[in-house]
mmCIF file with all atom_site columns, all heavy atoms in Angstrom:
data_model
loop_
_atom_site.group_PDB
_atom_site.id
_atom_site.type_symbol
_atom_site.label_atom_id
_atom_site.label_alt_id
_atom_site.label_comp_id
_atom_site.label_asym_id
_atom_site.label_entity_id
_atom_site.label_seq_id
_atom_site.pdbx_PDB_ins_code
_atom_site.Cartn_x
_atom_site.Cartn_y
_atom_site.Cartn_z
_atom_site.occupancy
_atom_site.B_iso_or_equiv
_atom_site.pdbx_formal_charge
_atom_site.auth_seq_id
_atom_site.auth_comp_id
_atom_site.auth_asym_id
_atom_site.auth_atom_id
_atom_site.pdbx_PDB_model_num
ATOM 1   N N   . THR A 1 66 ? 14.188 124.652 -101.763 1.00 0.00 ? 85 THR A N   1
ATOM 2   C CA  . THR A 1 66 ? 14.982 125.694 -102.414 1.00 0.00 ? 85 THR A CA  1
ATOM 3   C C   . THR A 1 66 ? 14.080 126.608 -103.170 1.00 0.00 ? 85 THR A C   1
ATOM 4   O O   . THR A 1 66 ? 13.148 126.153 -103.925 1.00 0.00 ? 85 THR A O   1
ATOM 5   C CB  . THR A 1 66 ? 16.002 125.071 -103.394 1.00 0.00 ? 85 THR A CB  1
ATOM 6   O OG1 . THR A 1 66 ? 16.788 124.113 -102.674 1.00 0.00 ? 85 THR A OG1 1
ATOM 7   C CG2 . THR A 1 66 ? 16.929 126.147 -103.952 1.00 0.00 ? 85 THR A CG2 1
ATOM 8   N N   . HIS A 1 67 ? 14.171 127.909 -102.891 1.00 0.00 ? 86 HIS A N   1
ATOM 9   C CA  . HIS A 1 67 ? 13.437 128.928 -103.679 1.00 0.00 ? 86 HIS A CA  1
ATOM 10  C C   . HIS A 1 67 ? 14.388 129.590 -104.625 1.00 0.00 ? 86 HIS A C   1
ATOM 11  O O   . HIS A 1 67 ? 15.370 130.168 -104.170 1.00 0.00 ? 86 HIS A O   1
ATOM 12  C CB  . HIS A 1 67 ? 12.835 129.971 -102.716 1.00 0.00 ? 86 HIS A CB  1
ATOM 13  C CG  . HIS A 1 67 ? 11.814 129.411 -101.772 1.00 0.00 ? 86 HIS A CG  1
ATOM 14  N ND1 . HIS A 1 67 ? 10.513 129.069 -102.176 1.00 0.00 ? 86 HIS A ND1 1
ATOM 15  C CD2 . HIS A 1 67 ? 11.889 129.059 -100.449 1.00 0.00 ? 86 HIS A CD2 1
ATOM 16  C CE1 . HIS A 1 67 ? 9.859  128.585 -101.136 1.00 0.00 ? 86 HIS A CE1 1
ATOM 17  N NE2 . HIS A 1 67 ? 10.698 128.572 -100.077 1.00 0.00 ? 86 HIS A NE2 1
ATOM 18  N N   . ARG A 1 68 ? 14.090 129.473 -105.913 1.00 0.00 ? 87 ARG A N   1
ATOM 19  C CA  . ARG A 1 68 ? 14.997 130.104 -106.934 1.00 0.00 ? 87 ARG A CA  1
ATOM 20  C C   . ARG A 1 68 ? 14.282 131.373 -107.395 1.00 0.00 ? 87 ARG A C   1
ATOM 21  O O   . ARG A 1 68 ? 13.233 131.302 -108.077 1.00 0.00 ? 87 ARG A O   1
ATOM 22  C CB  . ARG A 1 68 ? 15.224 129.124 -108.075 1.00 0.00 ? 87 ARG A CB  1
ATOM 23  C CG  . ARG A 1 68 ? 16.062 127.942 -107.624 1.00 0.00 ? 87 ARG A CG  1
ATOM 24  C CD  . ARG A 1 68 ? 16.276 126.907 -108.718 1.00 0.00 ? 87 ARG A CD  1
ATOM 25  N NE  . ARG A 1 68 ? 17.288 125.920 -108.321 1.00 0.00 ? 87 ARG A NE  1
ATOM 26  C CZ  . ARG A 1 68 ? 17.038 124.885 -107.571 1.00 0.00 ? 87 ARG A CZ  1
ATOM 27  N NH1 . ARG A 1 68 ? 15.844 124.609 -107.105 1.00 0.00 ? 87 ARG A NH1 1
ATOM 28  N NH2 . ARG A 1 68 ? 18.028 124.052 -107.238 1.00 0.00 ? 87 ARG A NH2 1
ATOM 29  N N   . LEU A 1 69 ? 14.846 132.526 -107.022 1.00 0.00 ? 88 LEU A N   1
ATOM 30  C CA  . LEU A 1 69 ? 14.206 133.798 -107.406 1.00 0.00 ? 88 LEU A CA  1
ATOM 31  C C   . LEU A 1 69 ? 14.993 134.402 -108.548 1.00 0.00 ? 88 LEU A C   1
ATOM 32  O O   . LEU A 1 69 ? 16.201 134.195 -108.659 1.00 0.00 ? 88 LEU A O   1
ATOM 33  C CB  . LEU A 1 69 ? 14.215 134.747 -106.182 1.00 0.00 ? 88 LEU A CB  1
ATOM 34  C CG  . LEU A 1 69 ? 13.579 134.233 -104.898 1.00 0.00 ? 88 LEU A CG  1
ATOM 35  C CD1 . LEU A 1 69 ? 13.562 135.378 -103.828 1.00 0.00 ? 88 LEU A CD1 1
ATOM 36  C CD2 . LEU A 1 69 ? 12.148 133.749 -105.117 1.00 0.00 ? 88 LEU A CD2 1
ATOM 37  N N   . PRO A 1 70 ? 14.284 135.137 -109.424 1.00 0.00 ? 89 PRO A N   1
ATOM 38  C CA  . PRO A 1 70 ? 14.926 135.711 -110.632 1.00 0.00 ? 89 PRO A CA  1
ATOM 39  C C   . PRO A 1 70 ? 15.927 136.796 -110.255 1.00 0.00 ? 89 PRO A C   1
ATOM 40  O O   . PRO A 1 70 ? 15.771 137.454 -109.221 1.00 0.00 ? 89 PRO A O   1
ATOM 41  C CB  . PRO A 1 70 ? 13.796 136.282 -111.427 1.00 0.00 ? 89 PRO A CB  1
ATOM 42  C CG  . PRO A 1 70 ? 12.642 136.361 -110.531 1.00 0.00 ? 89 PRO A CG  1
ATOM 43  C CD  . PRO A 1 70 ? 12.804 135.383 -109.420 1.00 0.00 ? 89 PRO A CD  1
ATOM 44  N N   . GLU A 1 71 ? 16.907 136.973 -111.068 1.00 0.00 ? 90 GLU A N   1
ATOM 45  C CA  . GLU A 1 71 ? 18.003 137.951 -110.936 1.00 0.00 ? 90 GLU A CA  1
ATOM 46  C C   . GLU A 1 71 ? 17.455 139.343 -110.611 1.00 0.00 ? 90 GLU A C   1
ATOM 47  O O   . GLU A 1 71 ? 18.002 140.079 -109.840 1.00 0.00 ? 90 GLU A O   1
ATOM 48  C CB  . GLU A 1 71 ? 18.792 137.937 -112.268 1.00 0.00 ? 90 GLU A CB  1
ATOM 49  C CG  . GLU A 1 71 ? 19.895 139.004 -112.337 1.00 0.00 ? 90 GLU A CG  1
ATOM 50  C CD  . GLU A 1 71 ? 21.184 138.610 -111.698 1.00 0.00 ? 90 GLU A CD  1
ATOM 51  O OE1 . GLU A 1 71 ? 21.431 137.374 -111.546 1.00 0.00 ? 90 GLU A OE1 1
ATOM 52  O OE2 . GLU A 1 71 ? 21.984 139.497 -111.331 1.00 0.00 ? 90 GLU A OE2 1
ATOM 53  N N   . GLN A 1 72 ? 16.316 139.650 -111.242 1.00 0.00 ? 91 GLN A N   1
ATOM 54  C CA  . GLN A 1 72 ? 15.792 141.050 -111.120 1.00 0.00 ? 91 GLN A CA  1
ATOM 55  C C   . GLN A 1 72 ? 14.912 141.257 -109.863 1.00 0.00 ? 91 GLN A C   1
ATOM 56  O O   . GLN A 1 72 ? 14.323 142.341 -109.665 1.00 0.00 ? 91 GLN A O   1
ATOM 57  C CB  . GLN A 1 72 ? 15.047 141.509 -112.386 1.00 0.00 ? 91 GLN A CB  1
ATOM 58  C CG  . GLN A 1 72 ? 13.822 140.688 -112.762 1.00 0.00 ? 91 GLN A CG  1
ATOM 59  C CD  . GLN A 1 72 ? 14.212 139.439 -113.587 1.00 0.00 ? 91 GLN A CD  1
ATOM 60  O OE1 . GLN A 1 72 ? 15.346 138.945 -113.592 1.00 0.00 ? 91 GLN A OE1 1
ATOM 61  N NE2 . GLN A 1 72 ? 13.256 138.931 -114.353 1.00 0.00 ? 91 GLN A NE2 1
ATOM 62  N N   . THR A 1 73 ? 14.859 140.239 -108.949 1.00 0.00 ? 92 THR A N   1
ATOM 63  C CA  . THR A 1 73 ? 14.115 140.360 -107.718 1.00 0.00 ? 92 THR A CA  1
ATOM 64  C C   . THR A 1 73 ? 14.603 141.628 -106.970 1.00 0.00 ? 92 THR A C   1
ATOM 65  O O   . THR A 1 73 ? 15.853 141.830 -106.890 1.00 0.00 ? 92 THR A O   1
ATOM 66  C CB  . THR A 1 73 ? 14.362 139.115 -106.826 1.00 0.00 ? 92 THR A CB  1
ATOM 67  O OG1 . THR A 1 73 ? 13.965 137.992 -107.549 1.00 0.00 ? 92 THR A OG1 1
ATOM 68  C CG2 . THR A 1 73 ? 13.621 139.204 -105.514 1.00 0.00 ? 92 THR A CG2 1
ATOM 69  N N   . THR A 1 74 ? 13.711 142.452 -106.458 1.00 0.00 ? 93 THR A N   1
ATOM 70  C CA  . THR A 1 74 ? 14.166 143.629 -105.743 1.00 0.00 ? 93 THR A CA  1
ATOM 71  C C   . THR A 1 74 ? 14.473 143.270 -104.271 1.00 0.00 ? 93 THR A C   1
ATOM 72  O O   . THR A 1 74 ? 14.072 142.238 -103.768 1.00 0.00 ? 93 THR A O   1
ATOM 73  C CB  . THR A 1 74 ? 13.091 144.704 -105.723 1.00 0.00 ? 93 THR A CB  1
ATOM 74  O OG1 . THR A 1 74 ? 11.944 144.204 -104.962 1.00 0.00 ? 93 THR A OG1 1
ATOM 75  C CG2 . THR A 1 74 ? 12.617 145.148 -107.115 1.00 0.00 ? 93 THR A CG2 1
ATOM 76  N N   . GLU A 1 75 ? 15.229 144.179 -103.678 1.00 0.00 ? 94 GLU A N   1
ATOM 77  C CA  . GLU A 1 75 ? 15.602 143.958 -102.250 1.00 0.00 ? 94 GLU A CA  1
ATOM 78  C C   . GLU A 1 75 ? 14.341 143.840 -101.403 1.00 0.00 ? 94 GLU A C   1
ATOM 79  O O   . GLU A 1 75 ? 14.251 142.979 -100.546 1.00 0.00 ? 94 GLU A O   1
ATOM 80  C CB  . GLU A 1 75 ? 16.496 145.137 -101.796 1.00 0.00 ? 94 GLU A CB  1
ATOM 81  C CG  . GLU A 1 75 ? 17.006 144.937 -100.369 1.00 0.00 ? 94 GLU A CG  1
ATOM 82  C CD  . GLU A 1 75 ? 17.997 145.970 -99.979  1.00 0.00 ? 94 GLU A CD  1
ATOM 83  O OE1 . GLU A 1 75 ? 18.869 146.306 -100.778 1.00 0.00 ? 94 GLU A OE1 1
ATOM 84  O OE2 . GLU A 1 75 ? 17.877 146.516 -98.854  1.00 0.00 ? 94 GLU A OE2 1
ATOM 85  N N   . ARG A 1 76 ? 13.382 144.714 -101.709 1.00 0.00 ? 95 ARG A N   1
ATOM 86  C CA  . ARG A 1 76 ? 12.129 144.699 -100.920 1.00 0.00 ? 95 ARG A CA  1
ATOM 87  C C   . ARG A 1 76 ? 11.397 143.377 -101.061 1.00 0.00 ? 95 ARG A C   1
ATOM 88  O O   . ARG A 1 76 ? 10.895 142.844 -100.073 1.00 0.00 ? 95 ARG A O   1
ATOM 89  C CB  . ARG A 1 76 ? 11.284 145.851 -101.398 1.00 0.00 ? 95 ARG A CB  1
ATOM 90  C CG  . ARG A 1 76 ? 10.033 145.955 -100.595 1.00 0.00 ? 95 ARG A CG  1
ATOM 91  C CD  . ARG A 1 76 ? 9.351  147.272 -100.792 1.00 0.00 ? 95 ARG A CD  1
ATOM 92  N NE  . ARG A 1 76 ? 7.984  147.191 -100.244 1.00 0.00 ? 95 ARG A NE  1
ATOM 93  C CZ  . ARG A 1 76 ? 7.093  148.093 -100.383 1.00 0.00 ? 95 ARG A CZ  1
ATOM 94  N NH1 . ARG A 1 76 ? 7.377  149.204 -101.072 1.00 0.00 ? 95 ARG A NH1 1
ATOM 95  N NH2 . ARG A 1 76 ? 5.927  147.923 -99.869  1.00 0.00 ? 95 ARG A NH2 1
ATOM 96  N N   . GLU A 1 77 ? 11.338 142.871 -102.282 1.00 0.00 ? 96 GLU A N   1
ATOM 97  C CA  . GLU A 1 77 ? 10.656 141.587 -102.513 1.00 0.00 ? 96 GLU A CA  1
ATOM 98  C C   . GLU A 1 77 ? 11.403 140.453 -101.744 1.00 0.00 ? 96 GLU A C   1
ATOM 99  O O   . GLU A 1 77 ? 10.742 139.619 -101.125 1.00 0.00 ? 96 GLU A O   1
ATOM 100 C CB  . GLU A 1 77 ? 10.673 141.248 -104.023 1.00 0.00 ? 96 GLU A CB  1
ATOM 101 C CG  . GLU A 1 77 ? 9.636  142.014 -104.786 1.00 0.00 ? 96 GLU A CG  1
ATOM 102 C CD  . GLU A 1 77 ? 9.834  141.917 -106.321 1.00 0.00 ? 96 GLU A CD  1
ATOM 103 O OE1 . GLU A 1 77 ? 10.959 141.592 -106.802 1.00 0.00 ? 96 GLU A OE1 1
ATOM 104 O OE2 . GLU A 1 77 ? 8.884  142.200 -107.024 1.00 0.00 ? 96 GLU A OE2 1
ATOM 105 N N   . LEU A 1 78 ? 12.716 140.523 -101.758 1.00 0.00 ? 97 LEU A N   1
ATOM 106 C CA  . LEU A 1 78 ? 13.485 139.474 -101.031 1.00 0.00 ? 97 LEU A CA  1
ATOM 107 C C   . LEU A 1 78 ? 13.210 139.569 -99.529  1.00 0.00 ? 97 LEU A C   1
ATOM 108 O O   . LEU A 1 78 ? 13.033 138.534 -98.875  1.00 0.00 ? 97 LEU A O   1
ATOM 109 C CB  . LEU A 1 78 ? 14.988 139.619 -101.376 1.00 0.00 ? 97 LEU A CB  1
ATOM 110 C CG  . LEU A 1 78 ? 15.897 138.607 -100.702 1.00 0.00 ? 97 LEU A CG  1
ATOM 111 C CD1 . LEU A 1 78 ? 15.496 137.142 -100.988 1.00 0.00 ? 97 LEU A CD1 1
ATOM 112 C CD2 . LEU A 1 78 ? 17.367 138.809 -101.131 1.00 0.00 ? 97 LEU A CD2 1
#
Side-chain angles (χ1 to χ4, degrees):
T85 305
H86 296 283
R87 293 177 169 83
L88 305 184
E90 174 84 23
Q91 62 273 24
T92 303
T93 64
E94 184 173 317
R95 184 165 166 188
E96 285 167 338
L97 179 57

